[in-house]
């Protein structure tokens, strides 16, 4: 028993020492700050949150893409998707951010794509038997930049709210930049939103 407890302690200690910069595809984490050179984005990371490993993020993305592809009947890929800053408190309270190249073919193409994605996510919930509501898309300004934002509310079979998801997105430097905030309580929601809304963007 003593050996097992010692091994468990070592695993926890080595896990805490894992370099968070190895868990992202772009940008740099220094102390409690993350900076993306490609986006021109800097954000402070709340204390007491854990960095999410790339393996977990890739698994989540694969499950999400598989569900969306089944709903759409089209094979979408995320080969150029980059994991940026990702951290979480537990399996319900999660901050995720990604970027992906988006070449404009015509004016308003990105806006149309974003609206289509919102409909596709909602339809995916429905086809998988998950009751959900979505809010209207609205513009949110962060450090002088306008982001499109909408929210999904997910319910259990009893009609009780089990998860909230807020999505923020904007086209920056030819990249589709997105932030997703999942939460099931107001305290963790506030910590993530405070950090996100205090982000700085290079103009």
């Amino acid at each position: 028993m003593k050996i097992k407890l010692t091994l468990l302690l070592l695993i926890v200690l080595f896990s805490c020492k894992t370099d968070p910069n190895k868990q992202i595809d772009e940008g740099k984490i220094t102390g409690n700050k993350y900076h993306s050179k490609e986006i021109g984005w800097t954000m402070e990371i709340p204390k007491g949150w854990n960095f999410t490993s790339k393996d977990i993020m890739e698994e989540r993305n694969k499950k999400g893409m598989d569900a969306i592809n089944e709903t759409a009947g089209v094979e979408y890929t995320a080969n150029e998707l980059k994991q940026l800053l990702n951290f979480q408190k537990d399996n319900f309270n999660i901050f995720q951010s990604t970027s992906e190249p988006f070449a404009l073919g015509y004016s308003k193409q990105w806006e149309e794509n974003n609206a289509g994605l919102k409909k596709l996510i909602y339809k995916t919930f429905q086809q998988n038997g998950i009751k959900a509501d979505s809010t209207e898309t609205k513009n949110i300004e962060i450090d002088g930049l306008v982001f499109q934002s909408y929210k999904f509310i997910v319910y259990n079979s009893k009609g009780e709210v089990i998860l909230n998801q807020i999505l923020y997105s904007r086209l920056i430097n030819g990249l589709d930049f997105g932030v997703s905030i999942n939460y099931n309580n107001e305290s963790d929601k506030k910590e993530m939103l405070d950090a996100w809304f205090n982000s700085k963007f290079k103009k």
Side-chain angles (χ1 to χ4, degrees):
M1 179 63 73
K2 191 173 182 181
I3 293 175
K4 288 183 179 178
L5 288 173
T6 302
L7 287 172
L8 179 60
L9 178 60
L10 286 173
I11 290 170
V12 170
L13 288 173
F14 280 121
S15 296
C16 292
K17 291 181 180 179
T18 300
D19 183 358
N21 285 291
K22 293 181 179 179
Q23 308 306 322
I24 57 179
D25 293 320
E26 193 274 321
K28 185 174 178 60
I29 296 169
T30 306
N32 70 328
K33 283 190 178 182
Y34 168 81
H35 176 71
S36 164
K37 187 175 181 180
E38 290 184 351
I39 301 294
W41 169 44
T42 302
M43 183 178 128
E44 288 196 16
I45 304 159
K47 294 180 180 178
W49 292 71
N50 301 311
F51 293 104
T52 310
S53 74
K54 284 180 67 174
D55 289 342
I56 291 176
M57 291 306 307
E58 287 169 1
E59 183 181 349
R60 287 176 183 166
N61 287 337
K62 184 180 184 307
K63 287 181 179 178
M65 289 301 298
D66 287 347
I68 286 176
N69 285 337
E70 185 176 343
T71 300
V74 178
E75 191 67 24
Y76 292 110
T77 62
N79 296 333
E80 296 183 282
L81 188 73
K82 289 185 179 180
Q83 298 297 334
L84 305 182
L85 176 62
N86 298 300
F87 57 85
Q88 62 187 79
K89 182 71 68 72
D90 49 42
N91 289 331
F92 291 94
N93 298 282
I94 304 169
F95 181 99
Q96 301 176 114
S97 61
T98 60
S99 69
E100 188 174 20
F102 191 97
L104 281 175
Y106 56 88
S107 177
K108 299 296 182 182
Q109 182 182 3
W110 180 86
E111 288 80 1
E112 290 178 9
N113 183 77
N114 200 37
L117 178 61
K118 178 184 177 182
K119 292 178 182 178
L120 186 55
I121 294 172
Y122 182 73
K123 188 176 179 181
T124 301
F125 280 132
Q126 287 185 314
Q127 290 199 186
N128 283 274
I130 300 172
K131 178 172 171 44
D133 290 328
S134 64
T135 64
E136 291 185 11
T137 301
K138 58 183 179 180
N139 291 335
I140 303 292
E141 187 173 314
I142 301 174
D143 194 31
L145 297 184
V146 176
F147 289 78
Q148 285 198 350
S149 174
Y150 49 85
K151 174 181 174 181
F152 289 101
I153 306 169
V154 181
Y155 306 89
N156 62 18
S157 58
K158 297 179 182 179
E160 301 166 331
V161 176
I162 58 172
L163 185 68
N164 299 273
Q165 182 180 60
I166 311 176
L167 304 176
Y168 299 87
S169 54
R170 178 185 168 87
L171 190 62
I172 300 180
N173 301 331
L175 298 167
D176 184 11
F177 170 53
V179 165
S180 171
I181 293 178
N182 296 351
Y183 65 92
N184 67 355
N185 67 84
E186 291 300 312
S187 176
D188 289 334
K189 171 193 175 183
K190 184 177 187 304
E191 277 195 72
M192 288 186 281
L193 285 181
D194 284 350
W196 168 231
F197 288 159
N198 281 305
S199 291
K200 299 299 179 184
F201 290 92
K202 184 178 179 180
K203 306 300 190 294

